Amino acid sequence: MYATRYIRPASLDDALRWLAQHEEARPLSGGMTLIPTLKQRLAAPTHLIDLTRLDALRGMISEPSMLRVGGVTTHAQVAASPVVAGAIPALAKLAGTIADPQVRNRGTLGGSVANDDPAADYPAAVLALDAIVVTSSRRIAADDFFIDTFQTALDPGELITAIEFQTPRWANYEKFRHPASGYAVVGVFVARYASHVRVAVTGAGASVFRWRDAERALESDFSLHALDGMTPDPHSLPDDAHASARYRAHLIATFTRRALHGYAA
């Protein structure tokens, strides 16, 4: 057995002090990845710093051009929020498709984004919605945040306090779910703004990425026909037990079109 001390800090500053003082301390939010990792003896933090009751990481605020969601907001809260549904319905829809009810009631927005699982749903929303990841020390643009598998721009001891999503004119998310886990074998989030379009793909790479060819095509003609004959290069996609690279390329094209069907409807 290994010794781990559970800490419930009284404030965000208190949590940051614990993380700064103990190199092997780890923040605990929903615990959807961390707890299984501990059970498998793949991690042995000296301290678990529980963030779930910190008021500084809570709240949902909608402004004309931005939706701000606190880092410890659960998936279920995002899915059920009238604030989110009124500002960005596609984000509420995405949250409602994550895993299963147990995970949705425990897992958090900030935890999912910080973890950067290559098949997670929220990174697609963060990237497509041109979000700003607000941390305990700075603001990071979505395009600069996701680096590689389970790797982000976060520094040790830095915490996500909120995500600021830029409100689009229209957006939609569609995914091909893994039947057991609910993770995205491929998920596509399309967001249309006044001057540009962003298309983010999850489940089909080392980390979430933008399908820029589709963005350029849709900026010229925001319709299903703009994507006629378009498919991502399969050579850049993973080939694994869940789907071949060629099949993933097909899924990306297919689910981008499915996302656009919501606009056509």
Side-chain angles (χ1 to χ4, degrees), residues 60-259:
M60 290 177 270
I61 301 171
S62 177
E63 298 178 356
S65 61
M66 182 268 290
L67 171 69
R68 180 185 175 99
V69 183
V72 298
T73 307
T74 66
H75 313 326
Q77 288 170 335
V78 173
S81 169
V83 175
V84 176
I88 310 177
L91 183 60
K93 173 185 174 180
L94 177 151
T97 71
I98 295 173
D100 54 43
Q102 183 175 5
V103 170
R104 289 195 291 273
N105 279 284
R106 288 297 305 167
T108 64
L109 169 64
S112 176
V113 173
N115 191 48
D116 191 19
D117 189 297
D121 298 285
Y122 273 131
V126 171
L127 195 55
L129 293 170
D130 202 9
I132 300 294
V133 180
V134 183
T135 80
S136 49
S137 59
R138 55 184 169 146
R139 298 165 60 84
I140 309 172
D143 285 324
D144 300 324
F145 185 79
F146 302 104
I147 296 175
D148 208 334
T149 303
F150 300 113
Q151 183 181 359
T152 71
L154 289 172
D155 291 329
E158 187 175 15
L159 298 176
I160 294 176
T161 59
I163 309 287
E164 293 179 353
F165 300 95
Q166 308 309 306
T167 308
R169 286 187 168 182
W170 178 88
N172 196 17
Y173 178 69
E174 295 289 344
K175 74 171 176 178
F176 183 78
R177 297 171 55 98
H178 186 282
S181 68
Y183 274 108
V185 177
V186 161
V188 182
F189 201 117
V190 179
R192 186 185 190 189
Y193 292 87
S195 60
H196 63 285
V197 175
R198 292 173 73 96
V199 179
V201 180
T202 189
S207 184
V208 64
F209 63 91
R210 291 169 61 186
W211 186 14
R212 295 183 183 271
D213 288 343
E215 292 176 350
R216 286 189 286 268
L218 291 170
E219 284 167 3
S220 298
D221 176 17
F222 196 78
S223 72
L224 287 171
H225 298 298
L227 301 179
D228 286 349
M230 290 186 63
T231 304
D233 180 3
H235 293 95
S236 62
L237 305 178
D239 196 330
D240 57 31
H242 303 302
S244 68
R246 289 185 62 188
Y247 186 49
R248 271 200 170 88
H250 169 75
L251 288 174
I252 292 170
T254 298
F255 279 79
T256 303
R257 291 179 175 85
R258 286 195 183 183

